[in-house]
Each structure stands twice: as structure tokens, then as C-alpha cells.
Amino acid sequence: MPEALEKVSGIIRESSYSENPIINEGLIDLFDGNGKLLRPGLLLLSARFGKNGIQDKHYKLAAALEMLHVATLIHDDIIDDSPLRRGLPSVHSRYGKKNAVLIGDFLLSRCFVLTGEYTSPKNALYLARMIAIICTMEIEQNNDRWRNNVSKRSYLRKIMGKSAMLFSLACYVGAEEAKASNEVCMRLRRAGYNIGIAFQIIDDILDYSGDQEQVRKKLGNDITAGLITLPVLCAMPLDSTGTLRRIFSKNSFTPEEGELIFSLVRECGGTEAAGQCAQIYTNRAIREIGMLPATDTRDMLDSLARQLLVREQ
Amino acid sequence: MPEALEKVSGIIRESSYSENPIINEGLIDLFDGNGKLLRPGLLLLSARFGKNGIQDKHYKLAAALEMLHVATLIHDDIIDDSPLRRGLPSVHSRYGKKNAVLIGDFLLSRCFVLTGEYTSPKNALYLARMIAIICTMEIEQNNDRWRNNVSKRSYLRKIMGKSAMLFSLACYVGAEEAKASNEVCMRLRRAGYNIGIAFQIIDDILDYSGDQEQVRKKLGNDITAGLITLPVLCAMPLDSTGTLRRIFSKNSFTPEEGELIFSLVRECGGTEAAGQCAQIYTNRAIREIGMLPATDTRDMLDSLARQLLVREQ
């Protein structure tokens, strides 16, 4: 659906336009074709299962979801001190953290303007509740840094709040606003949820992929931030030397220790085990999708879920 | 209306409650009786001009406005590096900037939940638009630091976006949701706007008040941040030595220069001139209030507007 997503991009650009040059420049790259627009894509695909199909409000809602997502990315990058986003310097590294906080707030409020203007009050509420949950989970994650006793359950709970709920909402809202049956809406909600979990696990695995040359680059991401993601969690019990557990009990590590984490997680089979876990969630999503009415859209959704599992970036 | 404001406080505490201890602790002090609850107070007073009077939704809306205000304060304090807020350590100095960004986002989203749940979609929209404007003005202000050619007009535009609009909205929405006549709603809107401008000017003057002993404390605020507020703007043309203009053309200053700014602004009559400007806006507010229906509430609003002009903190 490239034209449909192009339409969403247009609404995003229009809705986040500001006369302030810093806001505009800060946002322009983020909305300039580099994003995958996954959440809008899922929303629009889901709308096709409703008897009313895709309507004008779906494009607006899809745009709002992506704006919410990008607003959280901007604040995330400040929090994680990430120098890059989508291959370009992150907003805070170009315009300073002060402006980045405000640009994120600006985008968040424009996202609410869009939902307030074009969708049912119920959906605006969903969105607001979602942001509260995303923030809470981010705070939990931020405070779980450098703790070697994070449980798999706690990890899953956090990525549910951070990622899966937004995917789930995209699917549900798309179908619901197109007047799909309740059964279809709930099925899409579950499919979105499971796709979201698998997506985030893969994202976390990708921090540990690539050749040794890329290691130093990756060390700028979750690893140096002390975040314990699923590949580490899976590797820890497999690491008979206890090195991983020991390193993560400190509050920082040397570049050499960083490289050690990187290779240990892979050598102990942490990324593989995490990949199997992602596969489980993708399978659940595919099962839900398989029980939707048999249409072209169903096939597209099915292959999207499969593609996300094997993506390389 | 102490009981009415107590009720608003209760709603704020309830609506911003989180099971996450960091969020709760971070917010508890901010909502623990230290705030003046000015915006909620104005909203509730304005509601009394409507034929329906104060209803349940007014308390919720008043709580949402205060939450929005506090969310912007939390992000502001990060941006201005302020160590204190309401006499206590600011959220970011207690919990770190990362958590403070997220706690502000959390509060913002809960404020939208509250408006989404209890008020008309139109009001939720107003609120969202307002935040976008507040952010834009904050970004402009942030980028006007250390510029000695800021105009009075540009200063007023910024405090309009930062402060006056929220006061104005409080008055308008309070009256409108209580079914006041359009004339009364518009009058209250203008009164709130002028009260808000005067309030912010006084706030900026207070940075230059107090005895020499307090100077060093104050140097932690707007002055060291390089913000050119009205007292400085008024003092510049009166400072025949050109010292102020020279200092503000740099990108930082020494503590001695800070103290020099402090005394020059006062000696040249900058605070006095700014005070006269605040008086003009208060007079405008009082004139609007004087044309409202003659009731006890009108008298209360009138004395509130006068009190804000002479407050000492």
C-alpha cells in the first residue's frame, strides 16, 4: 500500500508543521521516508477487515499513531543518549536536549490534536492511556539498568508496555473504526500484540548481530546503557563462567568488557534462544491471522508478520 | 474556596497515581499543598457565572489544567537546569533527567485521559492545541537566550503562549461548561488572558527582588540561564553605560557579572518599569471583570486579580 502510506506521511507532515524553524527542521528528517510506518500500515490493513473499509479518519489515526511513536523515540533518544536515529543524528544531538524535550512534547500534543479532531473520543482516550503506560514501562526499564536479576517475565512486561500495546492498538482501532465484527477486532488486537512482542525481541537481538567490525558501533546502543534485554537474559544461565552476571552487577563497564558481553551473548547462544522466543510470538500472531476471513488482506498481514521476524534492520 | 480546591487536589492525586514508586514519589511533593492551584481556582470561579454553576466535570477539568501546568514545570526545570521547585528539589535533581522527562510525559498523558473521560471533545482539543503552543513558545524562549536584541513584543508573545493562554483557557472553559452566556465567556477569557500576562511579568520581576543576600540564590534562575525577561528589557535602554547589553551579547557570564546584572536591572529602574507594565494588564483584567454581572464571585475575581499583582512569591 505505498500510496496509502504516502497519504499518511502527508498528514504527518501537515499536522506536525510549525512556523518555528527548529521544530520543523528537527522533525523533517524523521518524517522523510526513512520510517517504516509499520504501525500505520497495520492500522490500514486492519481497517480492510471492516465492512466500511478504509476511510478518511483511518489515515488521520494512522498518522497520529506514528507521531506518538516518533515523539516517544525523540524522548527515548535523550534518555538513552543515542547519537543516531534512523541513520541520522538524533534530534537531541542536533538541537540539544532542551529543544528535544520540547519537540517531543510538541509532537505529542499535535498527535492529540489529530485524534481529538478526527476520531471518536474513545480512541483519543486509548491513546492517552497508552502513553501513560509507555512512560511507566520506560521508567521501569530505565531503573532496571545494571541489574543482573531482571526476570524474563519483567522483560516481557516492559516490551509489552513499550511496543506491543501500540501494535495491538493500531490493529484494533483500524478494524473497530471500520465497523469490523467484535470477533475480528479482538483477533486483530491479539495478532498485533504478538507481532509487537516479536518485533521488539528482534529489535533487541539486532543489537547483537553483525560482524566484529560493527561491534564498536553497536556498543553505543542498549549494551552500553546497561539494559538487560532478552539475548542477555537467555545467555546468562548458559554462561557457565558467570562473567555476564558479574559484569552486569556493576554500574558501568570498560570498552573491553562491552566487547566481551557482545561475544559472550552470541557464543552462549543468547541471540539464538531469544530468536526462538520471537518465533513463538510470531507463530501466535500467524495463528490468529489464519482465523481471520480469507482475503488478500489476510495474506498481506500474514506475510508482514513473517517478514518482521527475519528483518535485518 | 478551600474545600473546592481540596477536591481538585484529591482528583489530581488520584489521576496521577501510579504503581511505579518513582512516578509517585516524584509527583507527591508537587501535589502536596505547595501549589497555589491558581488555574483551577480561576476555572471554578468562572464556572459560577454560568447558569449551571460548578459541576463535577469542572473539578476534573480544573485538575487536568493543573496537571498540564505541572507537567510543563517538570520539563521546564530540566530545560532551565533549575535545582528547586516550590522550595523543594526539582524532579530532575532528585530522580535524574531521564526519569523527569518520562514523569512529565506520564503526567501529560494522564491529563489527557482526564479531559478525554470527563469533558467535551472540544475541550480536550483546546488543551492539546495549547500544549503545542506552549512548547513552541518555550523553544523560542530557549533559543532567545543570550540575545540582547529581543523585543518587548517578542517577550510578550512568548509569555502569552507560555502563561496567559492557560489562564485564559481556565476562565473560558469554566464559564462555557457551566453554560454562561457567550458575552460572559468572552469577557472571562479576556480577563484571564490579562491576569496571565500580569502574573508572568510579576514572576519575572520576582527574580530581581529580595536583598543582596538572596542574590546568589536567585542567580540559579532565569538570570544565569541568559533569559531576557521584561525587567532586563526595560533596564537596557535606561542603562547609559551599555553594560547590560554587552553582558547579554556573550554566551555566559561570571558570578560577578551575574551580580552586576542583578543590581543594574534594579538601579536602572528595570523592575519598576516592568511593574508598571504588569499594572496595565491587571487594569485591563479588572476592567473586564467590572463588566461582569455584579455578584460575590465577581468581587472575589476582582480581588484575586489585584492580589496577584502585589504577591511576593
Side-chain angles (χ1 to χ4, degrees), chain A residues 75 79 98 105 117 129, chain B residues 75 79 98 105 117 129:
Chain A
H75 283 180
I79 289 162
K98 298 177 182 189
D105 290 351
E117 272 174 336
R129 290 209 185 105
Chain B
H75 283 180
I79 289 162
K98 298 176 182 188
D105 290 350
E117 273 175 336
R129 289 208 186 107

Side-chain angles (χ1 to χ4, degrees), chain A residues 5-45:
Chain A
L5 291 180
E6 195 32 67
K7 196 165 170 182
V8 173
S9 287
I11 297 169
I12 293 175
R13 278 193 297 270
E14 208 177 284
S15 308
S16 54
Y17 175 79
S18 162
E19 287 183 9
N20 183 295
I22 294 175
I23 298 181
N24 262 344
E25 285 171 30
L27 292 177
I28 212 158
D29 290 335
L30 286 172
F31 292 136
D32 224 31
N34 284 307
K36 292 185 281 286
L37 296 179
L38 253 181
R39 294 148 196 85
L42 281 172
L43 190 147
L44 296 175
L45 276 180

Side-chain angles (χ1 to χ4, degrees), chain B residues 148-207:
Chain B
N148 62 8
N149 59 348
V150 175
S151 69
K152 227 183 240 188
R153 198 176 144 188
S154 142
Y155 166 81
L156 285 172
R157 205 170 77 90
K158 269 169 272 173
I159 67 172
M160 182 198 87
K162 260 183 66 182
S163 311
M165 282 192 53
L166 205 50
F167 279 84
S168 168
L169 185 78
C171 292
Y172 177 79
V173 161
E176 210 261 345
E177 290 268 353
K179 303 244 180 288
S181 73
N182 189 47
E183 195 203 322
V184 165
C185 289
M186 294 313 282
R187 217 175 268 302
L188 280 163
R189 179 145 110 175
R190 288 191 294 269
Y193 174 86
N194 286 301
I195 291 174
I197 299 261
F199 180 84
Q200 186 59 49
I201 294 175
I202 300 290
D203 223 50
D204 291 341
I205 292 174
L206 287 172
D207 274 338

Side-chain angles (χ1 to χ4, degrees), chain B residues 83-153:
Chain B
L84 293 177
R85 169 62 62 184
R86 295 181 174 170
L88 294 166
S90 54
V91 174
H92 76 87
S93 48
R94 287 178 65 181
Y95 300 98
K97 295 199 174 187
K98 298 176 182 188
N99 284 329
V101 170
L102 293 166
I103 292 175
D105 290 350
F106 172 85
L107 199 57
L108 211 54
S109 57
R110 283 292 176 90
C111 141
F112 281 114
V113 170
L114 202 54
T115 44
E117 273 175 336
Y118 295 102
T119 75
S120 65
K122 200 180 62 184
N123 285 326
L125 247 184
Y126 281 152
L127 220 66
R129 289 208 186 107
M130 172 98 35
I131 299 169
I133 294 170
I134 292 175
C135 296
T136 311
M137 291 304 135
E138 293 276 354
I139 290 174
E140 285 197 14
Q141 177 170 304
N142 190 25
N143 292 283
D144 273 353
R145 286 167 204 271
W146 310 108
R147 279 181 48 197
N148 62 8
N149 59 348
V150 175
S151 69
K152 227 183 240 188
R153 198 176 144 188

Side-chain angles (χ1 to χ4, degrees), chain A residues 38-262:
Chain A
L38 253 181
R39 294 148 196 85
L42 281 172
L43 190 147
L44 296 175
L45 276 180
S46 300
R48 292 202 191 170
F49 288 96
K51 62 173 186 271
N52 292 352
I54 301 178
Q55 299 155 270
D56 203 42
K57 63 183 171 185
H58 283 104
Y59 296 105
K60 312 271 187 187
L61 252 178
L65 267 194
E66 184 70 11
M67 286 160 70
L68 161 60
H69 170 59
V70 172
T72 64
L73 292 184
I74 294 173
H75 283 180
D76 267 15
D77 285 344
I78 302 172
I79 289 162
D80 295 338
D81 267 324
S82 307
L84 294 177
R85 169 62 63 185
R86 293 179 177 173
L88 294 165
S90 53
V91 174
H92 76 88
S93 47
R94 287 179 63 181
Y95 300 97
K97 296 198 175 187
K98 298 177 182 189
N99 284 329
V101 170
L102 293 166
I103 292 174
D105 290 351
F106 171 85
L107 199 56
L108 210 54
S109 57
R110 283 292 175 87
C111 140
F112 280 115
V113 170
L114 203 54
T115 45
E117 272 174 336
Y118 295 102
T119 75
S120 65
K122 200 180 61 183
N123 285 326
L125 247 184
Y126 281 153
L127 221 66
R129 290 209 185 105
M130 173 99 35
I131 298 169
I133 294 169
I134 292 176
C135 296
T136 311
M137 290 304 134
E138 293 276 356
I139 290 174
E140 286 197 15
Q141 176 170 304
N142 190 24
N143 291 282
D144 274 353
R145 285 167 206 271
W146 309 108
R147 281 180 48 196
N148 62 7
N149 59 348
V150 176
S151 68
K152 227 182 239 186
R153 200 176 142 186
S154 143
Y155 166 83
L156 286 172
R157 205 170 77 90
K158 268 169 273 172
I159 67 172
M160 181 198 87
K162 261 182 65 183
S163 312
M165 283 192 50
L166 206 50
F167 279 84
S168 168
L169 186 78
C171 293
Y172 178 78
V173 162
E176 210 261 346
E177 291 267 354
K179 304 243 181 289
S181 73
N182 190 48
E183 196 203 323
V184 166
C185 289
M186 295 312 283
R187 219 176 267 300
L188 280 163
R189 179 145 110 176
R190 288 191 295 269
Y193 174 87
N194 287 301
I195 290 174
I197 299 261
F199 180 84
Q200 186 60 49
I201 294 174
I202 300 291
D203 223 50
D204 290 340
I205 292 174
L206 287 172
D207 274 338
Y208 291 91
S209 71
D211 52 32
Q212 210 56 24
E213 229 178 282
Q214 292 178 288
V215 174
R216 272 183 200 81
K217 264 195 221 162
K218 307 248 175 188
L219 284 175
N221 296 337
D222 287 354
I223 308 177
T224 29
L227 286 185
I228 309 227
T229 55
L230 194 59
V232 186
L233 278 178
C234 291
M236 271 187 188
L238 301 170
D239 167 30
S240 52
T241 65
T243 312
L244 279 175
R245 204 173 288 277
R246 187 179 51 74
I247 299 179
F248 273 99
S249 66
K250 305 191 305 170
N251 267 321
S252 68
F253 43 64
T254 62
E256 292 72 34
E257 285 173 320
E259 291 190 35
L260 191 59
I261 293 174
F262 195 89

